[in-house]
């Protein structure tokens, strides 16, 4: 057995480990852990309290994958619901589909009785108001929101340095490998932007025969490289989990134009080994892991790998002026 989660999974891993220790199914454990992170307002990139889009609305993405059936469920751009991961699981278990977006996802969430929630918290409302006041031109303020948003989108490079989506990977007692993700995505994103978290194969993938992978950071990069599926496929081809992740880092290195922001690749294999690499990560980037030999989940440092960057660091630092509330 193993449970692996990223830095932001801290508030959920204790519960996830307890459920796995009690012999519960990996998917139940992962969903329970992610729900706790979705409720944790200190996590500014998941669930309630996550950063809004350019219009000041919080749009949530989430997914689950069962590595034994290869069934998946995902939602993208879901507004107004407290636990997108549970809506994603309901997509997997109750519909013949794998991914619902926007209005359709909200309709299905309502149909299944999912709990509604005001997703903007005090800190995110304030941060958005400060950004709007300082960055939006007088003419655009007068016409808002009926203005072109493209220019504001390019100015809002991921404000959360060192903060992330949450991802959980588990191998349960019955040897099922599962993955789950949840995020509010890129702060100040263009409305409707989906990152990699609901895109199975990019932000997550699980196959009980080989292992699982999930990514955090700039989803645009892992969508282009098909990172999560690639890592699992590399393990199928006989590579160790370390080698598979390193191969995926090489795929990222081959992307033209460099990375627009950091990407962290988390992976486990089917016998409980794991490896985590933060591409363009910073000292202090870490993850959490629990295996049956541990009294409690342990915090570990990510391996750091530097490759070329596409977006100027100065833009990201500029956005922190607004998010530092
Ligand atoms: N990795 C999360 C996102 O890009 O939205």
């Amino acid at each position: 057995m193993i449970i692996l989660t990223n830095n932001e999974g801290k508030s959920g891993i204790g519960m996830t480990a307890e459920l796995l220790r009690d012999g519960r199914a990996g998917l139940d454990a992962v969903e329970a852990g992610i729900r706790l992170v979705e409720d944790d307002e200190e996590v500014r990139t998941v669930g309630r309290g996550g950063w809004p889009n350019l219009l000041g609305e919080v749009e949530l993405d989430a997914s689950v994958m069962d590595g034994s059936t290869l069934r998946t469920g995902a939602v993208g751009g879901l507004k107004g619901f407290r636990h997108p991961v549970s809506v994603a699981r309901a997509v997997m278990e109750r519909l013949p589909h794998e991914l619902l977006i926007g209005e359709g996802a909200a309709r299905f969430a309502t149909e299944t009785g999912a709990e509604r929630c005001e997703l903007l918290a005090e800190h995110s409302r304030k941060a958005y108001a400060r950004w709007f006041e300082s960055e939006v031109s007088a003419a655009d303020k007068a016409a808002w929101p009926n203005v072109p948003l493209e220019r504001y989108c390019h100015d809002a490079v991921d404000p959360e340095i060192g903060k992330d989506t949450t991802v959980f990977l588990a191998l349960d007692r019955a040897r099922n490998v599962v993955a789950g993700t949840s995020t509010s995505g890129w702060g100040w994103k263009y409305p409707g932007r989906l990152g990699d978290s609901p895109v199975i194969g990019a932000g997550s993938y699980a196959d009980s025969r080989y292992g699982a992978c999930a990514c955090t950071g700039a989803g645009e990069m892992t969508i282009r490289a098909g990172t999560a599926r690639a890592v699992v496929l590399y393990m199928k081809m006989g590579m160790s989990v370390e080698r598979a992740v390193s191969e995926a880092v090489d795929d990222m290195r081959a992307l033209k134009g460099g990375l627009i922001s950091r990407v962290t690749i988390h992976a486990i294999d089917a016998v409980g080994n794991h490896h985590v690499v933060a591409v363009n990560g910073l000292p202090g980037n870490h993850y959490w892991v629990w295996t049956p030999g541990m009294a409690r989940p342990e915090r570990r440092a990510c391996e750091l790998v530097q490759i070329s960057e596409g977006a100027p660091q100065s833009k990201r630092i500029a956005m922190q002026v607004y998010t530092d509330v």
Side-chain angles (χ1 to χ4, degrees):
M1 285 192 289
I2 184 171
I3 175 80
L4 178 70
T5 182
N6 65 317
N7 51 345
E8 305 297 12
K10 183 180 177 188
S11 46
I13 190 168
M15 163 72 80
T16 309
E18 227 169 84
L19 293 174
L20 276 193
R21 192 188 285 123
D22 291 348
R24 290 281 295 275
L27 265 181
D28 291 344
V30 162
E31 182 186 356
I34 291 179
R35 285 171 67 97
L36 290 173
V37 184
E38 288 173 342
D39 275 343
D40 182 350
E41 281 187 30
E42 292 302 306
V43 178
R44 305 278 164 100
T45 36
V46 178
R48 177 173 155 76
W51 297 126
N53 65 18
L54 281 169
L55 296 177
E57 304 161 330
V58 182
E59 295 178 308
L60 301 177
D61 305 332
S63 71
V64 292
M65 180 159 189
D66 176 345
S68 297
T69 60
L70 301 186
R71 274 300 318 265
T72 73
V75 289
L78 179 64
K79 293 187 220 168
F81 290 89
R82 183 171 171 189
H83 290 301
V85 70
S86 298
V87 182
R89 186 162 180 191
V91 169
M92 182 179 91
E93 290 179 343
R94 297 168 68 154
L95 291 179
H97 306 313
E98 313 286 318
L99 170 60
L100 291 183
I101 58 160
E103 280 176 25
R107 180 189 177 106
F108 177 65
T110 304
E111 230 171 270
T112 57
E115 189 181 341
R116 288 183 180 279
C117 176
E118 169 53 66
L119 296 171
L120 264 185
E122 183 63 12
H123 67 261
S124 42
R125 199 183 297 279
K126 268 192 195 157
Y128 182 79
R130 286 169 65 173
W131 171 83
F132 185 84
E133 205 39 56
S134 306
E135 298 290 329
V136 177
S137 70
D140 283 353
K141 275 186 187 130
W144 199 263
N146 302 317
V147 303
L149 294 176
E150 183 187 341
R151 134 172 132 71
Y152 298 109
C153 180
H154 283 292
D155 284 346
V157 179
D158 189 352
E160 283 277 42
I161 311 234
K163 305 263 182 175
D164 271 316
T165 297
T166 198
V167 296
F168 279 70
L169 302 174
L171 166 67
D172 67 17
R173 193 177 288 167
R175 298 194 174 279
N176 299 303
V177 175
V178 304
T181 68
S182 185
T183 190
S184 53
W186 182 326
W188 285 258
K189 61 192 170 189
Y190 199 100
R193 175 262 187 191
L194 292 184
D196 58 344
S197 303
V199 179
I200 298 297
S204 71
Y205 199 80
D207 185 326
S208 298
R209 295 171 296 174
Y210 311 112
C213 175
C215 305
T216 60
E220 281 72 5
M221 304 290 102
T222 65
I223 289 173
R224 286 166 62 187
T227 304
R229 174 70 179 124
V231 168
V232 175
L233 191 59
Y234 292 141
M235 290 193 277
K236 176 178 180 176
M237 289 162 66
M239 294 181 200
S240 67
V241 65
E242 288 87 358
R243 181 73 209 291
V245 171
S246 153
E247 201 66 33
V249 171
D250 280 348
D251 292 342
M252 208 144 276
R253 210 175 256 120
L255 293 175
K256 305 295 175 222
L259 296 195
I260 52 178
S261 188
R262 185 176 41 88
V263 169
T264 306
I265 305 173
H266 310 75
I268 61 173
D269 67 16
V271 293
N273 300 304
H274 76 278
H275 193 53
V276 179
V277 170
V279 182
N280 288 353
L282 300 168
N285 284 168
H286 62 276
Y287 64 93
W288 297 87
V289 62
W290 175 83
T291 60
M294 296 176 187
R296 62 187 65 81
E298 293 181 6
R299 175 185 160 134
R300 303 265 175 90
C302 300
E303 182 183 319
L304 302 180
V305 172
Q306 293 303 315
I307 65 181
S308 67
E309 289 204 54
Q313 179 86 348
S314 56
K315 277 194 176 177
R316 273 179 249 151
I317 287 165
M319 278 305 288
Q320 285 185 320
V321 171
Y322 308 112
T323 58
D324 192 17
V325 286

